[in-house]
Amino acid sequence: MRAQPRRLLCVADALAGFKIAKDSTFAMLRECQRRGHELAVCTAADLHWQSGGPVQAWAQALELTGHPSDWYRVGARSALALRDFDAVLMRADPPFDSEYFYATHLLQQAEREGARVFNRPQALREHPEKLALLEFAQYAPPTLVTRSAAAIRAFHAEQRDIILKPLDGMGGMGIFRVGPDGLNLGVIIETLNRHGQCTVMVQRFLPEIAQGDKRVLLIGGEAVPFCLARIPQGGEVRGNLAAGGKGVAQPLSERDWALARAIGPQLAARGLLLVGLDVIGDCVTEINVTSPTCFQEITDQTGFDVAARFVDALEQALG
């Protein structure tokens, strides 16, 4: 039975920057419109609150045209209360910086006023992309989180081959590999920790990256049966699509399913409707909750409609 039409607000980056051939937020919106839901859009910068009133957004009605070059039409900007929508989709891209943090507080106030926000703002705040992994360390490679250059050097001496990355990066930004020779370790530490001012994540290098950094999508706590293996190209250590990796969709392995069953229900119970696990070999290396991607790549290569699965879960959550 078809769900009743809903009013949906999507908080996302500027539409003009979307690459609709592969954008997961676009796929969500297209499926929502196909089902007859009424769409509006704003950016995180459009959220605002003033005492005596509800949290509002300078939002615009959105219509997708179906034309690749002129793919959307928007109405006039108007101040709309978030609580007047049936659902608010928080799909602003990382980095998880101070402005993102402030946006989650505005969204949480909107929740107090009656809005339904997906993913839940408190859960977004409590599961920053890299550090969410700490709770599930039994599924992760040996990992260190520190500002200390000495601790990083000791970790390298123990593990011999390591990956270093900033906590606020995305798309493979700022990721370095240092092998057994320790070449450039000092300058890499200085670059990432800024002489002890910034916290860094360090992990043992996993050679299984050659087979891909797999994105396993969890929707409503359950795994999509296909993942996207992002395979490094041209001598790169990074598989991220933004860093030139090749995306190959494939069925989940038994280990992928086991990881999804172990982690998915816990995160869903906290209000995380959509989660992206990054899996290399047998290990989870990151847990992505802000704006997980790879919907269209999986759908295009396998025929499994990820966006339809997501909207099914959203409609079910709304009741």
Side-chain angles (χ1 to χ4, degrees), residues 3-12 25 27-42 57 59-64 80-91 115-118 273 307 310-319:
Q4 67 184 77
R6 304 282 193 168
R7 291 188 72 212
L8 307 178
L9 173 65
C10 183
V11 183
T25 302
M28 294 175 183
L29 293 171
R30 181 176 57 190
E31 179 63 17
C32 286
Q33 179 173 286
R34 189 188 69 79
R35 298 188 187 198
H37 299 308
E38 180 182 338
L39 301 177
V41 66
C42 71
Q60 298 172 283
L62 172 67
E63 178 189 359
L64 306 182
L80 302 174
L82 271 62
R83 68 186 180 191
D84 292 339
F85 290 90
D86 295 297
V88 178
L89 302 179
M90 178 51 165
R91 288 288 298 176
R116 302 287 303 279
V117 184
F118 303 91
L273 183 67
F310 174 79
V311 179
D312 285 346
L314 176 64
E315 291 174 346
Q316 183 176 359
L318 293 174

Short mmCIF file of all heavy atoms in Angstrom, two decimals, residues 3-12 25 27-42 57 59-64 80-91 115-118 273 307 310-319:
data_model
loop_
_atom_site.label_atom_id
_atom_site.label_comp_id
_atom_site.label_asym_id
_atom_site.label_seq_id
_atom_site.Cartn_x
_atom_site.Cartn_y
_atom_site.Cartn_z
N ALA A 3 2.27 4.85 0.74
CA ALA A 3 2.21 5.75 1.88
C ALA A 3 1.54 7.06 1.48
O ALA A 3 1.57 7.47 0.32
CB ALA A 3 3.61 6.01 2.42
N GLN A 4 0.93 7.72 2.47
CA GLN A 4 0.32 9.00 2.20
C GLN A 4 1.39 10.03 1.89
O GLN A 4 2.52 9.94 2.37
CB GLN A 4 -0.49 9.45 3.42
CG GLN A 4 0.37 9.78 4.64
CD GLN A 4 -0.47 10.11 5.85
OE1 GLN A 4 -1.04 9.24 6.50
NE2 GLN A 4 -0.55 11.39 6.15
N PRO A 5 1.06 11.02 1.04
CA PRO A 5 2.05 12.05 0.71
C PRO A 5 2.50 12.81 1.95
O PRO A 5 1.70 13.10 2.84
CB PRO A 5 1.29 12.95 -0.27
CG PRO A 5 0.20 12.10 -0.82
CD PRO A 5 -0.19 11.18 0.29
N ARG A 6 3.77 13.10 2.01
CA ARG A 6 4.36 13.80 3.15
C ARG A 6 5.07 15.06 2.67
O ARG A 6 5.50 15.17 1.53
CB ARG A 6 5.39 12.90 3.84
CG ARG A 6 4.84 11.56 4.29
CD ARG A 6 4.06 11.67 5.55
NE ARG A 6 3.79 10.37 6.15
CZ ARG A 6 3.32 10.18 7.38
NH1 ARG A 6 3.08 11.23 8.15
NH2 ARG A 6 3.10 8.96 7.84
N ARG A 7 5.21 16.00 3.61
CA ARG A 7 6.03 17.20 3.36
C ARG A 7 7.42 16.94 3.91
O ARG A 7 7.59 16.68 5.12
CB ARG A 7 5.42 18.43 4.06
CG ARG A 7 4.12 18.90 3.47
CD ARG A 7 3.73 20.24 4.13
NE ARG A 7 4.60 21.33 3.67
CZ ARG A 7 4.94 22.37 4.43
NH1 ARG A 7 4.58 22.43 5.70
NH2 ARG A 7 5.71 23.34 3.93
N LEU A 8 8.41 16.99 3.06
CA LEU A 8 9.78 16.66 3.43
C LEU A 8 10.70 17.84 3.17
O LEU A 8 10.67 18.44 2.10
CB LEU A 8 10.27 15.45 2.63
CG LEU A 8 9.39 14.20 2.64
CD1 LEU A 8 10.00 13.12 1.75
CD2 LEU A 8 9.22 13.67 4.07
N LEU A 9 11.55 18.15 4.15
CA LEU A 9 12.57 19.17 4.00
C LEU A 9 13.93 18.50 4.00
O LEU A 9 14.26 17.75 4.92
CB LEU A 9 12.51 20.19 5.14
CG LEU A 9 13.64 21.23 5.18
CD1 LEU A 9 13.58 22.14 3.97
CD2 LEU A 9 13.60 22.03 6.48
N CYS A 10 14.73 18.77 2.99
CA CYS A 10 16.08 18.23 2.91
C CYS A 10 17.09 19.35 3.17
O CYS A 10 17.12 20.35 2.44
CB CYS A 10 16.34 17.61 1.53
SG CYS A 10 17.96 16.84 1.38
N VAL A 11 17.89 19.18 4.23
CA VAL A 11 18.98 20.11 4.53
C VAL A 11 20.22 19.55 3.85
O VAL A 11 20.73 18.50 4.24
CB VAL A 11 19.20 20.23 6.05
CG1 VAL A 11 20.29 21.26 6.35
CG2 VAL A 11 17.90 20.60 6.76
N ALA A 12 20.69 20.23 2.84
CA ALA A 12 21.79 19.70 2.02
C ALA A 12 22.70 20.83 1.58
O ALA A 12 22.46 22.00 1.88
CB ALA A 12 21.23 18.97 0.79
N THR A 25 21.92 11.91 -2.31
CA THR A 25 20.82 12.77 -1.88
C THR A 25 19.85 13.00 -3.04
O THR A 25 18.63 12.97 -2.86
CB THR A 25 21.36 14.11 -1.36
OG1 THR A 25 22.25 13.86 -0.27
CG2 THR A 25 20.23 15.00 -0.87
N ALA A 27 19.29 10.93 -5.45
CA ALA A 27 18.54 9.68 -5.61
C ALA A 27 17.40 9.59 -4.59
O ALA A 27 16.29 9.14 -4.92
CB ALA A 27 19.47 8.48 -5.48
N MET A 28 17.66 9.99 -3.36
CA MET A 28 16.61 10.01 -2.33
C MET A 28 15.47 10.94 -2.74
O MET A 28 14.28 10.57 -2.66
CB MET A 28 17.17 10.51 -1.00
CG MET A 28 18.19 9.64 -0.33
SD MET A 28 18.78 10.54 1.13
CE MET A 28 20.02 9.37 1.72
N LEU A 29 15.83 12.16 -3.14
CA LEU A 29 14.81 13.15 -3.50
C LEU A 29 13.99 12.69 -4.71
O LEU A 29 12.77 12.86 -4.75
CB LEU A 29 15.48 14.48 -3.80
CG LEU A 29 16.15 15.18 -2.61
CD1 LEU A 29 16.96 16.38 -3.08
CD2 LEU A 29 15.13 15.58 -1.56
N ARG A 30 14.66 12.12 -5.68
CA ARG A 30 13.95 11.62 -6.87
C ARG A 30 12.93 10.55 -6.50
O ARG A 30 11.80 10.54 -6.99
CB ARG A 30 14.98 11.07 -7.88
CG ARG A 30 14.37 10.55 -9.17
CD ARG A 30 15.47 10.13 -10.13
NE ARG A 30 16.35 9.12 -9.52
CZ ARG A 30 17.50 8.71 -10.06
NH1 ARG A 30 17.92 9.25 -11.20
NH2 ARG A 30 18.22 7.79 -9.47
N GLU A 31 13.32 9.64 -5.61
CA GLU A 31 12.40 8.58 -5.19
C GLU A 31 11.25 9.15 -4.37
O GLU A 31 10.11 8.72 -4.51
CB GLU A 31 13.15 7.51 -4.39
CG GLU A 31 12.29 6.37 -3.88
CD GLU A 31 11.64 5.54 -4.98
OE1 GLU A 31 12.07 5.62 -6.15
OE2 GLU A 31 10.68 4.79 -4.66
N CYS A 32 11.56 10.13 -3.51
CA CYS A 32 10.49 10.77 -2.73
C CYS A 32 9.48 11.45 -3.65
O CYS A 32 8.26 11.32 -3.47
CB CYS A 32 11.08 11.78 -1.75
SG CYS A 32 11.92 11.05 -0.32
N GLN A 33 9.97 12.17 -4.66
CA GLN A 33 9.06 12.83 -5.59
C GLN A 33 8.25 11.81 -6.38
O GLN A 33 7.05 11.99 -6.62
CB GLN A 33 9.84 13.74 -6.53
CG GLN A 33 8.95 14.44 -7.56
CD GLN A 33 9.71 15.48 -8.37
OE1 GLN A 33 10.03 16.55 -7.88
NE2 GLN A 33 9.99 15.16 -9.64
N ARG A 34 8.89 10.71 -6.78
CA ARG A 34 8.18 9.67 -7.54
C ARG A 34 7.00 9.13 -6.75
O ARG A 34 5.96 8.78 -7.34
CB ARG A 34 9.15 8.54 -7.88
CG ARG A 34 8.59 7.51 -8.86
CD ARG A 34 9.51 6.32 -9.02
NE ARG A 34 9.55 5.50 -7.82
CZ ARG A 34 8.61 4.62 -7.46
NH1 ARG A 34 7.53 4.46 -8.23
NH2 ARG A 34 8.73 3.91 -6.37
N ARG A 35 7.13 9.10 -5.43
CA ARG A 35 6.05 8.58 -4.58
C ARG A 35 5.03 9.64 -4.19
O ARG A 35 4.12 9.37 -3.41
CB ARG A 35 6.65 7.97 -3.32
CG ARG A 35 7.57 6.80 -3.60
CD ARG A 35 7.99 6.10 -2.33
NE ARG A 35 9.01 5.08 -2.58
CZ ARG A 35 9.30 4.09 -1.74
NH1 ARG A 35 8.64 3.97 -0.58
NH2 ARG A 35 10.24 3.21 -2.04
N GLY A 36 5.22 10.85 -4.71
CA GLY A 36 4.22 11.88 -4.46
C GLY A 36 4.47 12.74 -3.25
O GLY A 36 3.61 13.56 -2.88
N HIS A 37 5.63 12.63 -2.63
CA HIS A 37 5.93 13.47 -1.47
C HIS A 37 6.28 14.89 -1.93
O HIS A 37 6.88 15.09 -2.99
CB HIS A 37 7.08 12.87 -0.66
CG HIS A 37 6.78 11.51 -0.10
ND1 HIS A 37 5.64 11.24 0.63
CD2 HIS A 37 7.46 10.32 -0.19
CE1 HIS A 37 5.64 9.97 0.99
NE2 HIS A 37 6.72 9.39 0.49
N GLU A 38 5.92 15.86 -1.10
CA GLU A 38 6.18 17.27 -1.40
C GLU A 38 7.54 17.64 -0.84
O GLU A 38 7.83 17.43 0.34
CB GLU A 38 5.09 18.12 -0.75
CG GLU A 38 5.22 19.61 -0.97
CD GLU A 38 4.13 20.38 -0.24
OE1 GLU A 38 3.07 19.80 0.07
OE2 GLU A 38 4.34 21.59 0.01
N LEU A 39 8.40 18.23 -1.69
CA LEU A 39 9.79 18.46 -1.31
C LEU A 39 10.09 19.94 -1.13
O LEU A 39 9.58 20.79 -1.86
CB LEU A 39 10.73 17.91 -2.40
CG LEU A 39 10.62 16.43 -2.73
CD1 LEU A 39 11.56 16.09 -3.88
CD2 LEU A 39 10.94 15.58 -1.52
N ALA A 40 10.97 20.20 -0.15
CA ALA A 40 11.56 21.52 0.02
C ALA A 40 13.02 21.32 0.38
O ALA A 40 13.42 20.24 0.86
CB ALA A 40 10.84 22.32 1.10
N VAL A 41 13.82 22.35 0.15
CA VAL A 41 15.25 22.21 0.35
C VAL A 41 15.81 23.48 0.98
O VAL A 41 15.29 24.59 0.76
CB VAL A 41 15.96 21.91 -0.99
CG1 VAL A 41 15.85 23.08 -1.94
CG2 VAL A 41 17.39 21.49 -0.78
N CYS A 42 16.87 23.31 1.78
CA CYS A 42 17.61 24.44 2.32
C CYS A 42 19.03 23.96 2.61
O CYS A 42 19.33 22.77 2.50
CB CYS A 42 16.96 24.97 3.60
SG CYS A 42 17.12 23.87 5.04
N ALA A 57 13.73 27.51 8.75
CA ALA A 57 14.73 27.49 7.68
C ALA A 57 14.25 28.39 6.55
O ALA A 57 13.04 28.44 6.25
CB ALA A 57 14.93 26.07 7.16
N ALA A 59 13.70 28.21 3.31
CA ALA A 59 13.57 27.03 2.46
C ALA A 59 12.87 27.38 1.15
O ALA A 59 12.20 28.41 1.03
CB ALA A 59 12.81 25.93 3.18
N GLN A 60 13.04 26.49 0.18
CA GLN A 60 12.42 26.65 -1.13
C GLN A 60 11.76 25.34 -1.53
O GLN A 60 12.33 24.26 -1.36
CB GLN A 60 13.48 27.01 -2.18
CG GLN A 60 14.19 28.32 -1.93
CD GLN A 60 15.35 28.52 -2.89
OE1 GLN A 60 16.41 27.93 -2.71
NE2 GLN A 60 15.16 29.35 -3.92
N ALA A 61 10.57 25.45 -2.07
CA ALA A 61 9.92 24.27 -2.66
C ALA A 61 10.78 23.76 -3.80
O ALA A 61 11.40 24.54 -4.54
CB ALA A 61 8.53 24.62 -3.16
N LEU A 62 10.85 22.45 -3.94
CA LEU A 62 11.73 21.83 -4.92
C LEU A 62 10.94 20.89 -5.83
O LEU A 62 10.14 20.08 -5.36
CB LEU A 62 12.83 21.03 -4.20
CG LEU A 62 13.72 20.15 -5.08
CD1 LEU A 62 14.60 21.00 -5.99
CD2 LEU A 62 14.59 19.23 -4.21
N GLU A 63 11.19 21.01 -7.11
CA GLU A 63 10.65 20.08 -8.11
C GLU A 63 11.80 19.58 -8.97
O GLU A 63 12.59 20.38 -9.49
CB GLU A 63 9.61 20.75 -8.98
CG GLU A 63 9.04 19.83 -10.07
CD GLU A 63 8.17 20.58 -11.07
OE1 GLU A 63 7.98 21.80 -10.91
OE2 GLU A 63 7.69 19.92 -12.02
N LEU A 64 11.92 18.27 -9.13
CA LEU A 64 12.92 17.68 -10.03
C LEU A 64 12.29 17.54 -11.41
O LEU A 64 11.20 16.98 -11.55
CB LEU A 64 13.37 16.33 -9.49
CG LEU A 64 13.89 16.32 -8.05
CD1 LEU A 64 14.36 14.94 -7.66
CD2 LEU A 64 15.01 17.34 -7.86
N LEU A 80 10.20 28.87 6.97
CA LEU A 80 9.27 27.81 7.31
C LEU A 80 9.73 27.10 8.57
O LEU A 80 10.92 26.81 8.74
CB LEU A 80 9.17 26.80 6.15
CG LEU A 80 8.74 27.38 4.80
CD1 LEU A 80 8.82 26.30 3.73
CD2 LEU A 80 7.33 27.96 4.88
N ALA A 81 8.79 26.80 9.45
CA ALA A 81 9.11 26.08 10.69
C ALA A 81 9.38 24.62 10.38
O ALA A 81 8.61 23.96 9.66
CB ALA A 81 7.96 26.20 11.68
N LEU A 82 10.47 24.08 10.93
CA LEU A 82 10.81 22.69 10.68
C LEU A 82 9.74 21.75 11.21
O LEU A 82 9.51 20.68 10.65
CB LEU A 82 12.17 22.35 11.30
CG LEU A 82 13.39 22.60 10.38
CD1 LEU A 82 13.52 24.06 9.99
CD2 LEU A 82 14.67 22.11 11.05
N ARG A 83 9.07 22.14 12.30
CA ARG A 83 8.06 21.26 12.89
C ARG A 83 6.84 21.10 11.99
O ARG A 83 6.02 20.19 12.19
CB ARG A 83 7.64 21.81 14.25
CG ARG A 83 6.87 23.12 14.20
CD ARG A 83 6.61 23.67 15.58
NE ARG A 83 5.86 24.93 15.53
CZ ARG A 83 5.69 25.73 16.58
NH1 ARG A 83 6.24 25.40 17.76
NH2 ARG A 83 5.00 26.85 16.47
N ASP A 84 6.69 21.96 10.98
CA ASP A 84 5.55 21.86 10.08
C ASP A 84 5.78 20.87 8.94
O ASP A 84 4.87 20.62 8.14
CB ASP A 84 5.21 23.24 9.50
CG ASP A 84 4.67 24.19 10.55
OD1 ASP A 84 4.17 23.70 11.59
OD2 ASP A 84 4.75 25.42 10.36
N PHE A 85 7.00 20.33 8.85
CA PHE A 85 7.27 19.26 7.89
C PHE A 85 7.06 17.91 8.56
O PHE A 85 7.22 17.76 9.77
CB PHE A 85 8.70 19.37 7.36
CG PHE A 85 8.94 20.55 6.47
CD1 PHE A 85 9.35 21.77 6.99
CD2 PHE A 85 8.73 20.44 5.10
CE1 PHE A 85 9.56 22.86 6.16
CE2 PHE A 85 8.95 21.53 4.27
CZ PHE A 85 9.35 22.75 4.80
N ASP A 86 6.74 16.90 7.76
CA ASP A 86 6.60 15.54 8.30
C ASP A 86 7.95 14.93 8.60
O ASP A 86 8.08 14.10 9.51
CB ASP A 86 5.82 14.66 7.32
CG ASP A 86 4.39 15.13 7.15
OD1 ASP A 86 3.64 15.10 8.14
OD2 ASP A 86 4.03 15.55 6.04
N ALA A 87 8.98 15.32 7.85
CA ALA A 87 10.33 14.80 8.08
C ALA A 87 11.34 15.82 7.60
O ALA A 87 11.10 16.55 6.63
CB ALA A 87 10.55 13.47 7.37
N VAL A 88 12.47 15.87 8.31
CA VAL A 88 13.61 16.69 7.91
C VAL A 88 14.78 15.74 7.70
O VAL A 88 15.14 14.97 8.59
CB VAL A 88 13.97 17.72 9.00
CG1 VAL A 88 15.21 18.52 8.58
CG2 VAL A 88 12.79 18.65 9.27
N LEU A 89 15.34 15.76 6.50
CA LEU A 89 16.49 14.92 6.17
C LEU A 89 17.75 15.75 6.29
O LEU A 89 17.93 16.72 5.54
CB LEU A 89 16.37 14.36 4.75
CG LEU A 89 15.13 13.53 4.43
CD1 LEU A 89 15.16 13.07 2.97
CD2 LEU A 89 15.01 12.33 5.36
N MET A 90 18.62 15.40 7.22
CA MET A 90 19.88 16.12 7.37
C MET A 90 20.92 15.45 6.49
O MET A 90 21.42 14.36 6.80
CB MET A 90 20.33 16.12 8.83
CG MET A 90 21.67 16.81 9.07
SD MET A 90 21.80 18.47 8.37
CE MET A 90 23.23 19.10 9.22
N ARG A 91 21.25 16.11 5.36
CA ARG A 91 22.15 15.52 4.38
C ARG A 91 23.30 16.46 4.03
O ARG A 91 23.91 16.32 2.96
CB ARG A 91 21.38 15.16 3.12
CG ARG A 91 20.46 13.96 3.28
CD ARG A 91 21.24 12.68 3.38
NE ARG A 91 22.03 12.41 2.18
CZ ARG A 91 22.86 11.38 2.06
NH1 ARG A 91 23.04 10.54 3.07
NH2 ARG A 91 23.54 11.20 0.95
N ALA A 115 9.52 18.36 15.43
CA ALA A 115 10.05 17.92 14.14
C ALA A 115 10.59 16.50 14.23
O ALA A 115 11.06 16.06 15.28
CB ALA A 115 11.13 18.87 13.66
N ARG A 116 10.56 15.80 13.12
CA ARG A 116 11.16 14.47 12.98
C ARG A 116 12.38 14.61 12.08
O ARG A 116 12.25 14.93 10.90
CB ARG A 116 10.18 13.47 12.37
CG ARG A 116 8.87 13.28 13.14
CD ARG A 116 9.08 12.49 14.41
NE ARG A 116 9.67 11.18 14.16
CZ ARG A 116 8.96 10.10 13.74
NH1 ARG A 116 7.66 10.18 13.52
NH2 ARG A 116 9.57 8.93 13.56
N VAL A 117 13.58 14.40 12.63
CA VAL A 117 14.82 14.63 11.90
C VAL A 117 15.57 13.31 11.71
O VAL A 117 15.72 12.52 12.65
CB VAL A 117 15.72 15.63 12.65
CG1 VAL A 117 16.96 15.93 11.82
CG2 VAL A 117 14.97 16.93 12.95
N PHE A 118 16.03 13.08 10.49
CA PHE A 118 16.76 11.86 10.14
C PHE A 118 18.06 12.25 9.42
O PHE A 118 18.01 12.97 8.45
CB PHE A 118 15.92 10.99 9.19
CG PHE A 118 14.58 10.62 9.76
CD1 PHE A 118 13.48 11.43 9.53
CD2 PHE A 118 14.43 9.50 10.55
CE1 PHE A 118 12.25 11.11 10.06
CE2 PHE A 118 13.19 9.17 11.08
CZ PHE A 118 12.10 9.97 10.83
N LEU A 273 19.08 6.37 10.98
CA LEU A 273 18.34 5.63 9.96
C LEU A 273 19.26 5.13 8.86
O LEU A 273 19.05 4.05 8.31
CB LEU A 273 17.25 6.52 9.37
CG LEU A 273 16.33 5.88 8.33
CD1 LEU A 273 15.45 4.81 8.97
CD2 LEU A 273 15.47 6.95 7.66
N ALA A 307 17.78 3.68 -3.09
CA ALA A 307 16.94 4.81 -2.71
C ALA A 307 15.54 4.36 -2.33
O ALA A 307 14.94 4.90 -1.37
CB ALA A 307 16.88 5.83 -3.86
N PHE A 310 15.68 3.02 1.10
CA PHE A 310 15.77 4.10 2.08
C PHE A 310 14.41 4.77 2.30
O PHE A 310 14.00 5.00 3.45
CB PHE A 310 16.79 5.15 1.62
CG PHE A 310 16.83 6.35 2.52
CD1 PHE A 310 17.50 6.30 3.73
CD2 PHE A 310 16.16 7.51 2.18
CE1 PHE A 310 17.52 7.40 4.58
CE2 PHE A 310 16.18 8.62 3.02
CZ PHE A 310 16.85 8.55 4.23
N VAL A 311 13.70 5.09 1.24
CA VAL A 311 12.42 5.77 1.41
C VAL A 311 11.40 4.83 2.05
O VAL A 311 10.55 5.28 2.84
CB VAL A 311 11.93 6.34 0.06
CG1 VAL A 311 10.58 7.04 0.22
CG2 VAL A 311 12.95 7.33 -0.50
N ASP A 312 11.48 3.55 1.76
CA ASP A 312 10.64 2.58 2.49
C ASP A 312 10.86 2.71 4.00
O ASP A 312 9.91 2.76 4.79
CB ASP A 312 10.97 1.15 2.07
CG ASP A 312 10.42 0.78 0.71
OD1 ASP A 312 9.56 1.50 0.17
OD2 ASP A 312 10.87 -0.26 0.16
N ALA A 313 12.13 2.76 4.40
CA ALA A 313 12.46 2.84 5.82
C ALA A 313 12.01 4.19 6.41
O ALA A 313 11.53 4.25 7.55
CB ALA A 313 13.96 2.64 6.02
N LEU A 314 12.17 5.25 5.63
CA LEU A 314 11.73 6.55 6.10
C LEU A 314 10.21 6.58 6.32
O LEU A 314 9.72 7.04 7.36
CB LEU A 314 12.14 7.62 5.09
CG LEU A 314 11.68 9.05 5.37
CD1 LEU A 314 12.31 9.58 6.64
CD2 LEU A 314 12.01 9.96 4.18
N GLU A 315 9.48 6.07 5.35
CA GLU A 315 8.01 6.03 5.47
C GLU A 315 7.58 5.18 6.66
O GLU A 315 6.63 5.52 7.38
CB GLU A 315 7.40 5.52 4.18
CG GLU A 315 7.54 6.49 3.00
CD GLU A 315 7.06 5.91 1.69
OE1 GLU A 315 6.85 4.66 1.62
OE2 GLU A 315 6.90 6.68 0.73
N GLN A 316 8.26 4.07 6.85
CA GLN A 316 7.92 3.21 7.99
C GLN A 316 8.19 3.93 9.31
O GLN A 316 7.42 3.82 10.26
CB GLN A 316 8.73 1.92 7.92
CG GLN A 316 8.40 0.91 9.03
CD GLN A 316 9.16 -0.39 8.87
OE1 GLN A 316 9.92 -0.57 7.93
NE2 GLN A 316 8.94 -1.30 9.80
N ALA A 317 9.30 4.67 9.37
CA ALA A 317 9.63 5.41 10.60
C ALA A 317 8.59 6.49 10.89
O ALA A 317 8.30 6.76 12.07
CB ALA A 317 11.02 6.02 10.47
N LEU A 318 8.03 7.09 9.83
CA LEU A 318 7.04 8.13 10.03
C LEU A 318 5.69 7.57 10.40
O LEU A 318 4.85 8.29 10.96
CB LEU A 318 6.92 8.99 8.76
CG LEU A 318 8.17 9.82 8.41
CD1 LEU A 318 7.99 10.49 7.06
CD2 LEU A 318 8.46 10.83 9.49
N GLY A 319 5.44 6.29 10.09
CA GLY A 319 4.19 5.65 10.46
C GLY A 319 3.03 5.98 9.51
O GLY A 319 3.13 6.79 8.62
#
